[in-house]
Amino acid sequence: HPSTALQVKVLLGLRAAFWRLRFLGGLMRTKVFVDGYNLYYGLLRGTRLKWLDLVALFERYVLHPSPNLLEVRYYTAPVLAKMCDSAESARRQRIYLQALRTLYPMRLQIVEGRMAATKPFLRLVSPINETPEIDRVQVYDFTEKKTDVNLACGMLNGAWKGEFEQVVVCSNDSDLEAAFASIRKYHPQIRLGLVAPIARAEARYIASDLKQYAHWSKILSKSHIAQSQLPERIPGLGIRRPDAWA
């Protein structure tokens, strides 16, 4: 009967669409893990795009269409005043984190590590003409602590506990290779996505150490970041975008 055949065709089409969306990650329970400093130094530094809505970025653009985004986890560390060009940098970071917590109390988790400051003596690559006798200088060295380990542990714990069907990592740091390899080996049912925060104009590529384990990968678009900014004023509180980011 023609109507029956049409119904069967429609049902088969819907079934195919369902599995196509699921394969693409659209209907999978998904959690996103963001390496904050990798994102900052890869795309945000030197721009006015730091007032970034992380949930909107991944939900509307990176995981589109129709993502089942459960949570974004943002791994960062409080900046130290002596590592910044501006004395206001630490205050701007605190305002930004407060804005994210206010807008997404249930869908975004901020996991903070710490910055360690040391003052090592380092050897010069080339001598200074005015003082050729000096071959070492003392410098500030700032190292982010705990972030990589916290992110890797969060991914692995979530995989073992069955918190997600898809895990998406925003980083281009090859230090995460062991965590990627472990998920692929022990949790082959979990779909693993990699989003690299790198500028396309730069001679940089998605880290092959990570890409080899990912089911899919993409370069994060700066245009998507520009379209995913938080509102200038956060509703319900007197939190405003810092003037330097306007």
Side-chain angles (χ1 to χ4, degrees):
H1 192 276
S3 63
T4 302
L6 180 60
Q7 289 174 355
V8 170
K9 187 175 181 180
V10 170
L11 288 173
L12 290 175
L14 290 173
R15 181 180 179 182
F18 171 83
W19 286 109
R20 185 164 58 251
L21 277 172
R22 188 167 183 79
F23 178 77
L24 292 172
L27 297 179
M28 288 181 143
R29 293 183 298 114
T30 299
K31 288 195 176 184
V32 173
F33 292 74
V34 179
D35 181 339
Y37 275 88
N38 202 267
L39 172 60
Y40 175 80
Y41 285 108
L43 278 179
L44 301 180
R45 188 182 188 187
T47 75
R48 293 179 177 268
L49 302 177
K50 302 179 184 74
W51 196 235
L52 178 60
D53 187 331
L54 290 167
V55 174
L57 173 66
F58 286 94
E59 192 164 51
R60 297 176 189 172
Y61 300 108
V62 177
L63 302 177
H64 186 76
S66 304
N68 183 10
L69 178 57
L70 304 177
E71 182 183 47
V72 174
R73 293 189 183 177
Y74 182 56
Y75 293 81
T76 187
V79 300
L80 303 177
K82 55 189 170 185
M83 67 182 284
C84 303
D85 296 330
S86 169
E88 289 294 302
S89 293
R91 186 183 69 86
R92 289 196 291 261
Q93 184 194 41
R94 289 194 298 271
I95 291 173
Y96 175 59
L97 297 182
Q98 186 181 2
L100 290 177
R101 291 187 178 104
T102 300
L103 275 182
Y104 298 109
M106 303 300 294
R107 300 186 65 199
L108 187 139
Q109 181 182 162
I110 297 170
V111 183
E112 294 189 67
R114 65 182 180 86
M115 296 298 300
T118 57
K119 295 184 285 186
F121 284 89
L122 300 179
R123 190 183 300 275
L124 290 171
V125 174
S126 302
I128 301 172
N129 293 332
E130 292 76 11
T131 55
E133 70 280 4
I134 297 178
D135 63 350
R136 293 173 184 266
V137 293
Q138 188 176 21
V139 300
Y140 274 118
D141 182 55
F142 302 99
T143 306
E144 188 183 1
K145 296 290 187 179
K146 300 184 180 181
T147 295
D148 291 346
V149 174
N150 286 341
L151 195 156
C153 288
M155 290 172 56
L156 294 172
N157 287 341
W160 285 108
K161 292 163 66 177
E163 293 179 354
F164 43 74
E165 297 170 289
Q166 177 175 232
V167 57
V168 177
V169 179
C170 180
S171 180
N172 203 39
D173 188 345
S174 58
D175 287 348
L176 297 171
E177 178 184 1
F180 274 55
S182 182
I183 287 180
R184 286 303 301 269
K185 180 177 181 179
Y186 297 108
H187 305 279
Q189 78 284 2
I190 293 177
R191 190 166 173 79
L192 179 56
L194 173 62
V195 179
I198 54 179
R200 292 179 184 273
E202 295 180 5
R204 300 179 63 197
Y205 302 93
I206 299 176
S208 58
D209 291 341
L210 303 182
K211 188 175 182 179
Q212 64 178 319
Y213 297 107
H215 290 94
W216 60 267
S217 62
K218 63 173 62 175
I219 294 176
L220 189 59
S221 169
K222 189 171 287 187
S223 65
H224 290 159
I225 288 179
Q227 297 175 63
S228 304
Q229 296 293 293
L230 293 167
E232 181 178 350
R233 180 188 291 274
I234 304 302
L237 285 179
I239 302 175
R240 296 179 60 93
R241 179 181 59 197
D243 292 339
W245 296 357

